[in-house]
Amino acid sequence: MATGLFEPFRQPVRGLVWAMSALFAQPVAKAVPPIAALLDRPPAGPLTAYRRGRPIDLTLDHDQALKFENAVRAMAAPHCE
């Protein structure tokens, strides 16, 4: 969503965030209705993801899931001591 997220940053980060927002963000009036529809009619699956109103396939094989778990554990380990 185009939320003005870039405003608190200093340059050059502010310019980069603004450019990414201009390229990829949607106006709030366009982004909210699909979210509201999902809240009104939640998906049946236990874990779902959408990109621009279309479901994203979240199927992982065992090896991919294990790599993901190990990466998350490695990132979290320094913060869990």
Side-chain angles (χ1 to χ4, degrees), residues 9-71:
F9 296 104
R10 287 188 236 152
Q11 292 295 356
V13 174
R14 183 179 184 152
L16 291 170
V17 174
W18 177 86
M20 297 301 283
S21 175
L23 288 172
F24 299 107
Q26 293 181 337
V28 174
K30 186 174 180 181
V32 169
I35 296 169
L38 286 171
L39 292 173
D40 290 340
R41 293 176 303 285
L47 179 63
T48 55
Y50 291 84
R51 179 178 294 133
R52 299 202 182 258
R54 294 191 176 116
I56 298 171
D57 181 16
L58 298 177
T59 305
L60 293 174
D61 66 29
H62 180 72
D63 291 337
Q64 289 175 314
L66 191 56
K67 285 179 186 178
F68 179 71
E69 179 183 5
N70 291 335

